[in-house]
């Protein structure tokens, strides 16, 4: 023990500068190798999807037909209801689901979490526990108990896929809670709301014009995770026999593998672009918050 | 001591005030009713249906029938496969993801490479499901890119049949486990100060000593916590496996979907509930341990 501790200093002292420089150079090389190898692992399946989408599997002919079909899906849906019709319905349903889920999530969580922080502090642990509960209840478990609940939903509303938004809100609850909680913790909620109230603002106005603008970046990141999750959801839609984007891709894959892969890649690119747009927004929010404090 | 003497005197004064306060705060709680009503219908009731249903005979009376049905060799095999699959992918994901997170942090702060890798990881961690299955079919399937390259360049024929088995799932799951690890582990690595390393060096400690005595013990709770989160993540995953493995039900989520959709055997709907309960119990234990470790990490991360 003592020898290993005592030994290095003389060696270091001999050529400290040079040694450190070689070590640092070696570290930089290792760093780039690690990043390159793991990024290659990430990239290869994506490149393969592109390759698969452009090359006709049987003849090996290169063609952009699959992409043009995906782009013109709306018009193809009428002539080919089996494949494109499925996908087009799924895509439309998923788009509506994204909007409904985000709206319900914000309307349900932001006022409740604000109210709990301001007036009912003793409930905060309960709300946190409930919001994080879906982490321990996987979608495949939830769907087992959802059958009877959705039977009632179907009777009251309809069997339309868009009503899956109710359970999707539950799925995004833990992630949305964490994002919003961090946002609410970062502002002086009590002072802001009391100031607004004493100036005569109604609670609705406090939420809409005071709280929401101040936690904008948190709301944006809660929305992003919701969008990503809803666009990728398959389990509940499949087992409750509803049609969303993922079940559409799954059905199409059984007759047209190339179309399924092309659609998957298109959906992934769409999600990536959405993330970039949203991160631009949230980055903006963070900067203005930093400037004001 | 003093409190016991002090309290009796003013007791008559604050009590009405406290009752008033309690009443007001109970009235304030009305504002949370929409939230609690919502989660009751779409989270608590479904969970209760699963838990109660697991202990009910078809007639409705209490029974151990469904729980006992978990004892068959198929079900036990599925649980073992699921646990092994989740543990192996969590370990691989944690090692490589942890390495990537460390490499990103020790690089120049705010560098472009870090921002790109973080953005890529946050998308790919969500990239589970059916789409991931097709990505790997396009890579290693019969007409996949890598399969074609192997055939054209090396003359090796691969059918990619292993992709549709549980060992094949290990490779596929790794694809979302590594990015998830980067995202959950990055904040912990960020908490490591360069000064600690300098302090170790000043005191004559080697790199080994630094890892063994300083960074290792500090990162261990966060690393283990992330490992558990990755385990729960893989254990709950359904869609990727469902898209790849269609002929049999080798893991628990597939067993559940098989039991739900099986219309021939009436009792199977109840088996789905006991299977689901088994999953919840395992995930709950894992997440509880995760919460404990998270608390320890939070202590020094601040």
């Amino acid at each position: 023990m003592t020898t290993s501790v005592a030994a290095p200093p003389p060696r270091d002292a001999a050529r400290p500068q040079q040694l450190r420089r070689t070590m640092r150079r070696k570290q930089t090389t290792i760093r780039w190798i690690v990043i390159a190898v793991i990024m290659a692992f990430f990239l290869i399946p994506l490149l393969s999807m592109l390759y698969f989408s452009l090359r006709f599997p049987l003849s090996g002919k290169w063609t952009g037909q699959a992409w043009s079909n995906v782009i013109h899906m709306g018009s193809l849906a009428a002539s080919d209801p089996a494949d494109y019709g499925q996908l087009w319905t799924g895509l439309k349903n998923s788009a509506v689901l994204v909007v409904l889920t985000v709206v319900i999530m914000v309307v349900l969580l932001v006022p409740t979490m604000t109210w709990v922080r301001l007036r009912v502090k003793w409930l905060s642990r309960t709300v946190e526990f409930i919001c994080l509960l879906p982490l321990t209840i996987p979608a495949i478990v939830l769907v087992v108990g959802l059958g009877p609940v959705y039977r009632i939903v179907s009777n009251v509303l309809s069997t339309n896929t868009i009503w899956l938004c109710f359970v999707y809100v539950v799925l995004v609850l833990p992630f949305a809670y964490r994002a919003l909680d961090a946002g609410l913790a970062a502002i002086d909620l009590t002072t802001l709301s009391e100031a607004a109230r004493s100036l005569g603002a109604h609670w609705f106005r406090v939420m809409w014009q005071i709280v929401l603008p101040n936690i904008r970046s948190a709301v944006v990141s809660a929305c992003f995770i919701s969008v990503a999750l809803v666009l990728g959801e398959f389990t509940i839609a499949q087992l409750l026999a509803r049609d969303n984007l993922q079940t559409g891709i799954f059905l199409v894959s059984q007759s047209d593998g190339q179309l399924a892969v092309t659609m998957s890649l298109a959906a992934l690119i769409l999600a990536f672009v959405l993330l970039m747009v949203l991160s631009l927004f949230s980055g903006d929010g963070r900067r203005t918050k930093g400037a004001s404090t | 001591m003093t409190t016991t003497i002090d309290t009796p005197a003013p007791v008559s004064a604050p009590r009405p005030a406290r009752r008033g306060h309690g009443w007001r705060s109970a009235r304030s709680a009305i504002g949370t009713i929409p939230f609690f009503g919502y989660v009751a219908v779409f989270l608590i009731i479904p969970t209760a249906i699963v838990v109660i249903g697991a202990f009910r005979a078809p007639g409705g009376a209490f029974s151990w029938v469904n729980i006992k049905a978990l004892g068959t060799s198929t079900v036990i095999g599925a649980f073992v496969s699921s646990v092994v699959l989740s543990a192996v992918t969590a370990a691989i994901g944690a090692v490589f993801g942890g390495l990537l997170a460390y490499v990103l942090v020790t690089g120049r702060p705010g560098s472009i490479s870090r921002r790109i890798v973080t953005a890529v990881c946050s998308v790919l961690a969500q990239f589970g499901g059916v789409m991931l299955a097709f990505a790997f079919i396009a890579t290693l399937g019969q007409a996949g890119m890598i399969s074609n390259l192997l055939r054209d360049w090396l003359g090796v024929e691969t059918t990619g049949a292993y992709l549709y088995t549980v060992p094949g799932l290990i490779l596929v799951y790794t694809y979302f486990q590594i990015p998830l690890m980067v995202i959950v582990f990055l904040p912990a690595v960020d908490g490591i100060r360069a000064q600690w390393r300098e302090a170790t060096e000043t005191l004559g400690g080697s790199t080994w000593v630094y890892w063994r005595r300083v960074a290792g013990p500090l990162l261990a709770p966060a690393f283990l916590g992330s490992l558990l989160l990755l385990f729960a993540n893989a254990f709950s995953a359904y869609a990727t496996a469902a898209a790849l493995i269609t002929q049999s039900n080798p893991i628990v989520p597939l067993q559940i979907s098989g039991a739900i959709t099986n219309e021939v055997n009436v009792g199977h709907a109840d088996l789905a509930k006991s299977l689901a309960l088994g999953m919840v119990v395992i995930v709950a234990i894992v997440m509880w341990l995760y919460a404990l470790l998270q608390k320890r990490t939070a202590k020094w991360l601040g």
Side-chain angles (χ1 to χ4, degrees):
Chain A
M1 193 69 234
T2 37
T3 47
S4 69
V5 175
R11 192 147 47 91
D12 253 2
R15 302 175 296 167
Q17 211 102 50
Q18 205 187 345
L19 193 78
R20 187 150 296 173
R21 202 177 301 142
T22 5
M23 212 170 86
R24 184 142 308 155
R25 203 174 301 141
K26 212 168 77 188
Q27 271 183 354
T28 313
T29 322
I30 294 174
R31 178 171 302 145
W32 280 109
I33 290 174
V34 169
I35 294 185
V37 168
I38 298 181
M39 286 319 253
F41 176 64
F42 289 163
L43 263 180
I44 286 172
L46 300 179
L47 281 177
S48 301
M49 285 173 103
L50 186 64
Y51 167 92
F52 202 90
S53 70
L54 290 173
R55 187 173 175 276
F56 201 68
L58 295 175
S59 62
K61 212 175 73 185
W62 294 87
T63 161
Q65 190 60 41
W67 283 97
S68 119
N69 286 349
V70 164
I71 290 162
H72 300 108
M73 202 191 326
S75 47
L76 283 166
S79 58
D80 183 0
D83 277 2
Y84 293 94
Q86 281 287 356
L87 266 183
W88 185 237
T89 319
L91 189 64
K92 281 190 294 187
N93 283 340
S94 280
V96 177
L97 276 169
V98 164
V99 175
L100 286 177
T101 307
V102 164
V103 169
I104 298 178
M105 184 269 291
V106 171
V107 168
L108 193 69
L109 272 185
V110 175
T112 306
M113 288 174 68
T114 311
W115 189 247
V116 166
R117 271 179 175 273
L118 287 176
R119 289 296 168 87
V120 260
K121 270 249 156 39
W122 53 275
L123 265 178
S124 65
R125 299 301 300 229
T126 318
V127 171
E128 182 184 10
F129 176 78
I130 287 179
C131 284
L132 298 184
L133 199 57
L135 286 181
T136 50
I137 303 173
I140 183 74
V141 169
L142 199 59
V143 78
V144 175
L146 270 175
V149 173
Y150 263 88
R151 223 165 288 145
I152 297 169
V153 171
S154 306
N155 286 335
V156 175
L157 298 163
S158 69
T159 54
N160 200 313
T161 303
I162 59 170
W163 305 125
L164 284 181
C165 62
F166 297 129
V167 63
Y168 285 0
V169 171
V170 169
L171 293 185
V172 303
L173 217 50
F175 311 104
Y177 174 83
R178 280 189 186 148
L180 294 175
D181 193 49
L184 286 171
I187 62 171
D188 189 353
L189 197 60
T190 318
T191 312
L192 281 174
S193 65
E194 272 170 10
R197 291 285 287 162
S198 66
L199 289 169
H202 191 262
W203 276 114
F204 177 76
R205 190 158 178 192
V206 174
M207 290 295 164
W208 186 247
Q209 290 196 315
I210 311 294
V211 177
L212 264 186
N214 273 297
I215 56 164
R216 195 179 57 176
S217 73
V219 172
V220 168
S221 59
C223 288
F224 168 70
I225 197 84
S226 311
V227 170
L229 205 141
V230 172
L231 283 181
E233 211 288 326
F234 172 74
T235 311
I236 293 177
Q238 191 212 18
L239 290 170
L240 289 179
R242 304 298 203 270
D243 311 304
N244 71 6
L245 176 61
Q246 299 297 322
T247 61
I249 292 178
F250 180 68
L251 278 175
V252 165
S253 76
Q254 286 160 354
S255 58
D256 188 344
Q258 194 185 27
L259 179 60
V261 169
T262 311
M263 195 59 215
S264 298
L265 187 57
L268 192 70
I269 293 170
L270 185 77
F272 198 80
V273 170
L274 267 177
L275 167 78
M276 286 302 157
V277 172
L278 283 172
S279 76
L280 280 180
F281 271 108
S282 64
D284 205 25
R286 210 170 295 144
R287 197 164 33 204
T288 45
K289 203 165 71 191
S292 67
T293 45
Chain B
M1 262 298 177
T2 38
T3 46
T4 47
I5 300 161
D6 269 348
T7 34
V11 106
S12 55
R15 188 165 278 171
R18 207 195 296 154
R19 195 189 298 149
H21 174 77
W23 182 77
R24 201 178 332 126
S25 99
R27 203 181 52 170
S28 295
I30 290 174
T32 59
I33 283 181
F35 170 79
F36 283 109
Y38 190 95
V39 290
V41 173
F42 291 101
L43 177 63
I44 308 298
I45 289 180
T47 313
I49 289 175
V50 169
V51 174
I52 296 168
F55 295 100
R56 267 170 53 153
F62 174 87
S63 92
W64 292 101
V65 172
N66 299 318
I67 303 294
K68 278 188 186 137
L70 294 181
T72 61
S73 60
T74 358
V75 173
I76 291 176
F79 268 100
V80 170
S81 298
S82 267
V83 168
V84 170
L85 171 68
S86 314
V88 172
T89 59
I92 297 174
V95 168
F96 287 98
L99 195 64
L100 185 57
Y102 178 75
V103 161
L104 286 181
V105 167
T106 49
R108 270 179 297 119
S111 68
I112 198 92
S113 68
R114 175 174 174 166
R115 280 167 65 188
I116 291 176
V117 175
T118 324
V120 167
C121 283
S122 55
V123 171
L124 293 186
Q126 288 298 317
F127 178 47
V130 181
M131 300 190 291
L132 181 61
F134 295 136
F136 273 86
I137 290 174
T139 312
L140 298 167
Q142 199 154 16
M145 186 169 84
I146 299 292
S147 309
N148 282 352
L149 288 181
L150 282 178
R151 193 186 53 224
D152 296 347
W153 291 355
L154 301 173
V156 181
E157 280 289 345
T158 51
T159 57
Y162 58 88
L163 205 54
Y164 309 98
T165 61
V166 174
L169 283 184
I170 291 178
L171 178 68
V172 181
Y173 278 22
T174 308
Y175 196 80
F176 59 73
Q177 296 282 58
I178 294 177
L180 183 66
M181 181 67 184
V182 172
I183 289 168
V184 294
F185 194 52
L186 208 54
V189 189
D190 260 336
I192 295 272
R193 301 269 168 276
Q195 289 89 323
W196 296 346
R197 178 154 214 158
E198 284 159 15
T200 317
E201 280 177 9
T202 317
L203 292 170
S206 60
T207 305
W208 167 246
V209 170
Y210 168 72
W211 277 105
R212 171 92 183 64
R213 294 289 180 86
V214 182
L218 280 167
L219 286 177
F223 185 83
L224 282 178
S226 310
L227 189 75
L228 289 172
L229 194 71
L230 260 60
F231 178 93
N233 186 43
F235 196 74
S236 323
Y238 163 76
T240 312
L244 281 174
I245 303 177
T246 47
Q247 302 303 319
S248 61
N249 300 327
I251 57 172
V252 184
L254 294 180
Q255 284 274 328
I256 294 179
S257 92
I260 294 176
T261 46
N262 187 336
E263 283 160 359
V264 184
N265 200 334
V266 181
H268 267 66
D270 295 318
L271 179 63
K273 284 167 190 157
S274 57
L275 282 166
L277 182 66
M279 268 190 90
V280 171
V281 169
I282 292 179
V283 179
I285 292 172
V286 168
M287 293 306 286
W288 175 67
L289 289 173
Y290 167 71
L292 282 185
L293 286 166
Q294 195 73 4
K295 231 176 254 167
R296 273 202 70 174
T297 317
K299 240 182 240 165
W300 64 269
L301 268 182

